[in-house]
Amino acid sequence: MVAQQQQIQPSPYSGLYDLIVPQDNLLRKINDLVDFTFIYEELASKYCTTNGRRAESPVRMFKYLLLKTIYTVSDVDVVERSRYDMSFKYFLDLSPEEALINPSSLTKFRKLRLKDTDLLNLLISKTVAIALEKGIIKSHSLIVDATHSLSRSNPQSALEVLRERSRLLRKALCSIDEDIKGRMPEQNDSGGLEEQLAYCRRLEKLVEADQALCVIPAVREKLNLLRETVEDTHESHTLSKDTDARMGHKSADSSFFGYKTHLAMTEERIIAAALVTSGEKGDGPQLPKLVEISRANGLQVDTVIGDAAYSGKENLKLQDKEGRSLKLVARLNPVISQGSRKEEARFEYNKDAAMFVCPAGHMAMRKARQGKKNRGKNQATIYYFDVQKCRSCPLQEGCYKPGAKSKTYAVTIKSPIHVEQQAFQQTAYFKEKTRERYKIEAKNSELKNVHGYGRAISYGITSMQLQGALAIFTVNLKRILKLSA
């Protein structure tokens, strides 16, 4: 059975709060800023209102989780600190002498009461509504970016897992029969995955050949575990307890195992929308959803600021509610705007002949267009050169392949939408808005370094969404309080 948020019970010690907790205390200001009854309204259906023992208020339980995020402490420590920290007691609407919950109740609250709730969008929409009500958000621009969070469970290579589980089986065998050590196959200490798989199979055959060993539970369990690992290795070479996390890449030579949080933030540094995905997801495809969520939260959006990951053709076609194209302040991929050839490999264009000229001074003989308009990839113009000249050219190395029957030079034809975006990149408005993008990098840093968002604190994407909801709610409240001062 549950009741609405409990008020501080009449107590002869309640006056201590006015003496000890100052008016400019962060928790006092958050309490004054936010009406937390929206949490009760969201979670009331998760409780029985007529039967059972009276449950702890869902608002108070949520506040415990919020304190954990603000101060980056564990379940045990947030409850322990609430015993003696008067600002915590005040924030939780506890009387000074009132008893506290058992820390394990927070785990139950997360798993049972917050299950199947869209807390991420709920908390963001609440803070955006507060910011709009106070007149803090005045811009019509969104700054977008994605930040990565490492999984709580580091991935292990299949080789590491096989070595560990074969070691456990050997240990179980030696504990039963010390003489078996001499009959075991030679360990694979320096070989690769294939050598380890072969070693595991030989170890399996050794155990299977002795029926007396196979019936011993300690040996049978380790043997079955090793068999299962060998089978799993054929499907995946990376194993982890976190089944939702995936390998993502920050650059060509830098990777991570975990999740991505895609953020949309106003120029006033209020996060207006967020999506949590596994680490391998791209940034650009999330933009339409981020814009949609931001508008649903009450924002007017006419400009989106991001990096080149967001300048895909589908994003360039995004429109506002009136059907006008959104201004996308994101540079085109260099392959589109400049081409992928190195400077020394580029041919010169002769505008009078409308043909390309190679570095040796030979002009193309003819040209032809390749591809269909508005279908898949952009069209290209193919320029054909006299292959007889190429065969005797002193500059043919790296340009003409000996024995080739033709020499061509292809130039991609930019679509009208790319040409328009390239022209937009030269405008003063584009250059001015580009300077705003650093703000979201600072916000990512705050989430990670101050509120522990650099690593997941639990397993699974649902837990990551809850962690993201509380961290974003916290940074938004702190920003609103700063701008309201």
Side-chain angles (χ1 to χ4, degrees), residues 135 140 256 372 473:
H140 294 169
F256 68 95
K372 294 185 178 180
F473 188 64

Side-chain angles (χ1 to χ4, degrees), residues 96-232:
E97 72 276 19
E98 194 169 342
L100 303 177
I101 64 169
N102 187 294
S104 63
S105 298
L106 292 174
T107 302
K108 289 289 186 181
F109 180 70
R110 280 190 294 263
K111 290 185 175 180
L112 300 179
R113 310 306 182 190
L114 297 183
K115 186 180 178 181
D116 301 326
T117 59
D118 189 6
L119 203 62
L120 181 62
N121 283 327
L122 176 69
L123 296 183
I124 291 176
S125 64
K126 182 64 177 179
T127 52
V128 171
I130 293 172
L132 289 171
E133 182 183 340
K134 290 185 170 292
I136 291 172
I137 299 177
K138 297 182 174 66
S139 67
H140 294 169
S141 301
L142 286 179
I143 310 171
V144 293
D145 196 18
T147 186
H148 71 277
S149 301
L150 300 178
S151 169
R152 185 182 180 186
S153 169
N154 290 327
Q156 290 181 289
S157 69
L159 179 61
E160 293 171 334
V161 178
L162 286 169
R163 281 179 175 164
E164 172 63 18
R165 293 186 176 173
S166 60
R167 184 189 69 81
L168 292 175
L169 178 56
R170 288 198 311 271
K171 185 177 178 181
L173 290 170
C174 291
S175 66
I176 295 167
D177 182 3
E178 293 183 1
D179 296 332
I180 200 173
K181 199 169 187 178
R183 293 186 282 136
M184 286 186 187
E186 185 179 352
Q187 292 185 44
N188 172 48
D189 293 325
S190 57
L193 181 61
E194 293 303 322
E195 290 81 359
Q196 185 64 31
L197 282 169
Y199 168 74
C200 290
R201 292 190 187 100
R202 290 196 297 272
L203 189 60
E204 285 178 27
K205 288 180 180 178
L206 173 69
V207 180
E208 289 167 353
D210 191 332
Q211 293 299 319
L213 286 174
C214 287
V215 297
I216 300 172
V219 174
R220 187 176 65 247
E221 289 172 4
K222 302 299 185 296
L223 176 62
N224 290 337
L225 190 61
L226 182 60
R227 279 176 181 160
E228 184 181 281
T229 307
V230 170
E231 292 173 3
D232 289 345

Side-chain angles (χ1 to χ4, degrees), residues 52-83:
R53 187 180 64 180
R54 182 178 292 274
E56 193 70 40
S57 165
V59 176
R60 181 173 292 167
M61 298 298 287
F62 173 78
K63 285 184 174 182
Y64 272 113
L65 297 182
L66 191 56
L67 286 171
K68 274 173 52 66
T69 302
I70 296 173
Y71 296 99
T72 319
V73 292
S74 66
D75 289 0
V76 172
D77 289 335
V78 75
V79 174
E80 181 60 29
R81 186 166 168 180
S82 299
R83 295 183 190 282

Side-chain angles (χ1 to χ4, degrees), residues 172-452:
L173 290 170
C174 291
S175 66
I176 295 167
D177 182 3
E178 293 183 1
D179 296 332
I180 200 173
K181 199 169 187 178
R183 293 186 282 136
M184 286 186 187
E186 185 179 352
Q187 292 185 44
N188 172 48
D189 293 325
S190 57
L193 181 61
E194 293 303 322
E195 290 81 359
Q196 185 64 31
L197 282 169
Y199 168 74
C200 290
R201 292 190 187 100
R202 290 196 297 272
L203 189 60
E204 285 178 27
K205 288 180 180 178
L206 173 69
V207 180
E208 289 167 353
D210 191 332
Q211 293 299 319
L213 286 174
C214 287
V215 297
I216 300 172
V219 174
R220 187 176 65 247
E221 289 172 4
K222 302 299 185 296
L223 176 62
N224 290 337
L225 190 61
L226 182 60
R227 279 176 181 160
E228 184 181 281
T229 307
V230 170
E231 292 173 3
D232 289 345
T233 300
H234 294 295
E235 300 176 11
S236 174
H237 286 192
T238 301
L239 306 173
S240 170
K241 290 180 181 178
D242 195 340
T243 56
D244 291 337
R246 293 290 183 275
M247 193 68 71
H249 296 272
K250 294 180 283 185
S251 64
D253 54 359
S254 177
S255 61
F256 68 95
F257 182 74
Y259 301 92
K260 272 187 178 180
T261 302
H262 307 268
L263 301 174
M265 186 183 78
T266 69
E267 290 184 22
E268 294 80 13
R269 309 194 192 198
I270 302 295
I271 296 175
L275 294 169
V276 178
T277 65
S278 48
E280 88 286 5
K281 300 295 184 184
D283 299 354
Q286 316 304 324
L287 180 59
K289 188 66 175 177
L290 290 173
V291 173
E292 179 186 336
I293 295 172
S294 300
R295 286 172 171 164
N297 287 339
L299 296 185
Q300 297 180 34
V301 181
D302 59 24
T303 302
V304 176
I305 305 166
D307 56 25
Y310 296 93
S311 62
K313 188 178 286 187
E314 293 304 314
N315 289 340
L316 292 172
K317 294 177 182 178
L318 287 177
Q319 298 180 335
D320 60 18
K321 291 181 179 179
E322 285 72 37
R324 296 172 300 199
S325 296
L326 282 176
K327 298 182 185 72
L328 184 58
V329 182
R331 293 195 174 277
L332 291 172
N333 189 303
V335 172
I336 295 174
S337 58
Q338 301 171 14
S340 58
R341 291 187 180 91
K342 296 180 180 178
E343 189 67 35
E344 60 271 18
R346 293 179 185 172
F347 289 12
E348 296 292 331
Y349 184 70
N350 186 304
K351 65 177 182 179
D352 297 318
M355 290 287 183
F356 273 90
V357 178
C358 77
H362 303 307
M363 183 177 289
M365 299 184 300
R366 64 186 181 90
K367 60 183 177 181
R369 184 164 292 187
Q370 189 179 69
K372 294 185 178 180
K373 193 173 182 180
N374 296 325
R375 289 192 183 182
K377 297 181 179 179
N378 289 343
Q379 291 179 292
T381 301
I382 311 298
Y383 294 84
Y384 294 85
F385 288 79
D386 187 348
V387 73
Q388 298 300 330
K389 295 179 181 179
C390 295
R391 286 170 181 165
S392 58
C393 179
L395 303 179
Q396 66 174 259
E397 185 178 352
C399 179
Y400 171 74
K401 184 178 180 180
K405 295 182 179 180
S406 64
K407 168 60 186 175
T408 60
Y409 186 83
V411 178
T412 301
I413 302 172
K414 297 185 182 73
S415 65
I417 198 167
H418 285 145
V419 173
E420 184 181 340
Q421 180 68 10
Q422 196 164 7
F424 177 51
Q425 289 179 190
Q426 306 305 317
T427 63
Y429 182 83
F430 185 98
K431 294 173 182 177
E432 176 190 349
K433 289 296 182 182
T434 299
R435 299 189 190 102
E436 300 289 329
R437 192 182 168 276
Y438 77 94
K439 294 178 178 178
I440 201 163
E441 298 290 355
K443 187 64 66 175
N444 289 341
S445 177
E446 180 185 1
L447 285 167
K448 289 182 176 182
N449 298 328
V450 181
H451 299 291

